[in-house]
Amino acid sequence: MRTCLTLIVATVSLAAAYAQDADTASIQAKVAEGIKTRDASVAAFAQGQADEGRKLGETSVTLLHEAREAYDAMGAAESNDFGVLVAYADLLVEQGDHDLAEKALLRAVDVDRESAQAWLKLGQTESRLGPRSETRAIRSLRQAAAIEPKSEA
């Protein structure tokens, strides 16, 4: 009986992990579409197509907003999943929410202290927070360089 119960719990846990991976993939696809649409909006404005640019810009904002709501609904800010935290932080940076992105990236480096990518993104994000975060940004960027001294990330 105990073995059967253990097997059921493991199966449910595995199913939940697969569901989160599918949710994360669909959210990341929405973010990618939002960024692609934003870029198309910029191109339309550059070509003098203001109405099309506005329409695409509104669509982009909606897509990115929906992606953020989906991340928030899944509890991304409190996640222990490194990939979710970094992807969530990328979206937050895209939306200009650098304070919350910093928090997500601090959590990501707690999950994986040896990720030069996370330290680099953290340093870049901290540098956008202004002079009050300059020391933290430098420390994070140095940590990234210490982990991968020859990286071009």
Side-chain angles (χ1 to χ4, degrees):
M1 182 68 164
R2 177 176 271 171
T3 303
C4 185
L5 184 57
T6 302
L7 184 59
I8 291 170
V9 169
T11 302
V12 169
S13 296
L14 187 57
Y18 282 134
Q20 182 175 349
D21 286 347
D23 288 346
T24 302
S26 81
I27 296 169
Q28 288 174 334
K30 187 169 283 210
V31 170
E33 185 64 25
I35 292 169
K36 180 180 171 184
T37 305
R38 183 213 50 216
D39 292 345
S41 170
V42 170
F45 277 113
Q47 295 171 0
Q49 300 170 347
D51 290 339
E52 183 67 12
R54 257 188 301 284
K55 179 181 157 192
L56 289 167
E58 290 170 5
T59 300
S60 173
V61 168
T62 299
L63 288 167
L64 295 173
H65 179 74
E66 289 173 357
R68 182 160 178 181
E69 285 181 336
Y71 272 128
D72 290 342
M74 75 185 303
E78 290 81 35
S79 177
N80 288 321
D81 183 309
F82 177 81
V84 168
L85 289 164
V86 171
Y88 182 54
D90 287 344
L91 172 60
L92 294 169
V93 166
E94 182 69 33
Q95 293 184 313
D97 193 343
H98 302 293
D99 288 319
L100 192 53
E102 178 191 35
K103 290 177 185 174
L105 289 165
L106 284 168
R107 195 164 176 88
V109 298
D110 279 343
V111 170
D112 184 354
R113 308 253 349 132
E114 295 302 312
S115 171
Q117 173 200 24
W119 284 106
L120 176 63
K121 287 178 184 242
L122 177 59
Q124 291 169 333
T125 300
E126 289 168 333
S127 73
R128 293 180 176 116
L129 292 172
R132 68 180 170 84
S133 300
E134 185 176 297
T135 302
R136 292 193 320 262
I138 292 168
R139 186 176 38 233
S140 295
L141 293 170
R142 284 183 177 155
Q143 182 64 26
I147 294 168
E148 286 189 38
K150 295 182 182 178
S151 173
E152 294 182 26

